[in-house]
Amino acid sequence: MTSYTDKIREISKRLLKEGKVDMVIGFTKGSVPMMNQPMFARNQNDVDGFAWDGNCGINLANYVTGRSEKIGIVAKGCDSRNLAVHIVENKIKRDQLYIIGVPCTGMVDRHKLTASVGGEIEAIEEDAAGKTVTISGNDFSETVDRVDVLQENCALCMHRNPVIYDELIAEEVPEQTEESVDRYEAVRKVEEMSPEEKWAYFDDLFSDCIRCYACRNACPLCYCPTCFVDESKPQWVGKSIDPSDIRIFHFLRAYHCAGRCTDCGACVRSCPMGINVRALTKKLEKDSLEYFGWEAGLTTEQRPPLDTYKPDDPEQFIK
Amino acid sequence: MKNLLEHMGIDPGRLHFSWISSAESTKFVEVAKNVTEEVMALQSKEKKYMKTKPKVA
């Protein structure tokens, strides 16, 4: 992974030197392990702060919304798809962006790792080949296979290589196919339940929610100037942690992402309670694919399905 | 939307969609009757949609 880091620094430095961009957005190590954070480099001296490893799971497309500068941005497959969504939704212009594409082999799941060991993880190390991850803390050190600790969305990802980019930092990685992974296994399991079981399943899923809105803030799609949960005139949704309020929040937040969500997993990664928020967005992703043959963020030419009308749109549910 | 609500465990039959023109008064009556009937049939099942008093630990 060091080669990725070096390449990102090198490209960023060149772009800033040539004045091609006003700043480069990338990742830097966080103050605690597994929590890499975004970094904005505005001059050549800053670029040494950039880093790349398996903890770059947040979505950088979140940081370009409505900006007016020329921006160089480090983008994994999912980030690039969200940039495409941003371009379609007029949140940024394509010619403002210089996309530094990063072929990605998935991000490690910090919730999974934390749960797998008793103590606090103080350091995380990946081997050069990207095969194993070593976590260590006060009185333990453990080495695990990287593929076993990937975030679920990364393990199921079909677009590991950036879909739009100006420059790639490495050779493209092999993509997974429908044959090699079953993307919607978890969704189908829920679909097969009875309404009562479904209700209980989501009751349990959301029972830990503290309404911190980290999932919303981490999401590149959630860029409304005033979010519906923050409005008070009218107040669309109750602000308590009553199960029904929590459910309405999650339902509406997910629905706002219908046909736009790229399953980047930023919501799950950011959740302090480790709730699998993707249980809802993945269902919407599946429906978009089944009803409209649509996967978000693969093109900048087409409007998303819920934004357009076609005579053959499915409408069996309307009586 | 109907799909996602049902995915979350709302009973199918609680949510209805219909196109009714302002000129179609008879269709409106028919749909309203159907909706009420279907929802009434489901109402005895449970009261999970009601807010409860906050639980205090």
Side-chain angles (χ1 to χ4, degrees), chain A residues 138-291:
Chain A
N138 201 359
D139 49 5
F140 66 91
S141 176
E142 224 175 283
T143 303
V144 284
D145 275 347
R146 198 170 184 280
V147 286
D148 295 335
V149 291
L150 285 184
Q151 291 183 177
E152 192 195 23
N153 64 306
C154 296
L156 303 177
C157 176
M158 300 271 170
H159 300 280
R160 297 187 146 178
N161 297 300
V163 292
I164 50 167
Y165 57 83
D166 295 291
E167 189 168 348
L168 276 183
I169 67 160
E171 292 274 308
E172 294 199 350
V173 293
E175 292 284 6
Q176 308 194 96
T177 58
E178 293 285 355
E179 287 80 45
S180 65
V181 287
D182 184 3
R183 287 195 270 183
Y184 300 120
E185 195 188 354
V187 178
R188 273 202 312 272
K189 246 181 220 159
V190 178
E191 280 172 352
E192 283 161 10
M193 295 179 190
S194 72
E196 285 74 27
E197 285 168 335
K198 286 178 185 170
W199 190 266
Y201 172 82
F202 283 102
D203 250 358
D204 180 55
L205 186 75
F206 296 136
S207 60
D208 288 335
C209 180
I210 52 172
R211 299 286 295 271
C212 68
Y213 304 142
C215 46
R216 173 198 70 182
N217 285 14
C219 181
L221 303 173
C222 286
Y223 53 65
C224 293
T226 309
C227 177
F228 72 98
V229 297
D230 296 327
E231 285 220 322
S232 53
K233 273 185 185 174
Q235 183 165 330
W236 304 107
V237 51
K239 293 176 188 291
S240 76
I241 52 166
D242 183 277
S244 62
D245 287 341
I246 291 180
R247 197 177 274 257
I248 292 173
F249 161 63
H250 282 288
F251 169 70
L252 281 175
R253 196 198 81 79
Y255 199 67
H256 285 174
C257 304
R260 304 163 69 218
C261 176
T262 60
D263 202 23
C264 71
C267 45
V268 175
R269 169 168 270 269
S270 66
C271 179
M273 309 304 283
I275 298 171
N276 183 21
V277 197
R278 286 177 49 253
L280 292 176
T281 47
K282 197 70 183 168
K283 163 72 176 163
L284 289 167
E285 196 201 274
K286 179 169 178 274
D287 282 355
S288 302
L289 189 65
E290 283 175 0
Y291 291 122

Side-chain angles (χ1 to χ4, degrees), chain A residues 92-104:
Chain A
I92 190 92
K93 291 198 188 74
R94 178 67 183 95
D95 53 15
Q96 269 176 274
L97 294 172
Y98 189 93
I99 302 170
I100 306 167
V102 182
C104 167

Side-chain angles (χ1 to χ4, degrees), chain B residues 10-55:
Chain B
I10 305 269
D11 295 287
R14 271 195 186 271
L15 190 63
H16 295 256
F17 290 86
S18 204
W19 281 117
I20 306 173
S21 151
S22 57
E24 295 176 306
S25 57
T26 45
K27 185 178 176 189
F28 177 78
V29 173
E30 204 176 294
V31 171
K33 263 189 189 154
N34 279 341
V35 172
T36 342
E37 269 166 28
E38 282 200 39
V39 177
M40 290 289 251
L42 286 165
Q43 71 159 7
S44 54
K45 266 175 136 177
E46 63 235 296
K47 291 198 171 147
K48 61 191 177 189
Y49 309 109
M50 305 267 272
K51 267 198 190 182
T52 47
K53 276 192 180 155
K55 289 187 197 105

Side-chain angles (χ1 to χ4, degrees), chain A residues 63-95:
Chain A
Y63 300 91
V64 301
T65 317
R67 285 196 173 267
S68 49
E69 305 103 314
K70 283 271 290 180
I71 300 169
I73 182 163
V74 175
K76 313 181 280 292
C78 49
D79 301 44
S80 78
R81 288 174 67 194
N82 274 108
L83 288 170
V85 173
H86 262 49
I87 293 164
V88 171
E89 293 176 0
N90 291 324
K91 285 292 135 192
I92 190 92
K93 291 198 188 74
R94 178 67 183 95
D95 53 15

Side-chain angles (χ1 to χ4, degrees), chain A residues 15-16 19-24 41-43 68-72:
Chain A
L15 291 176
L16 288 162
K20 269 196 176 163
V21 298
D22 302 317
M23 65 170 172
V24 178
R42 287 180 189 274
N43 71 58
S68 49
E69 305 103 314
K70 283 271 290 180
I71 300 169

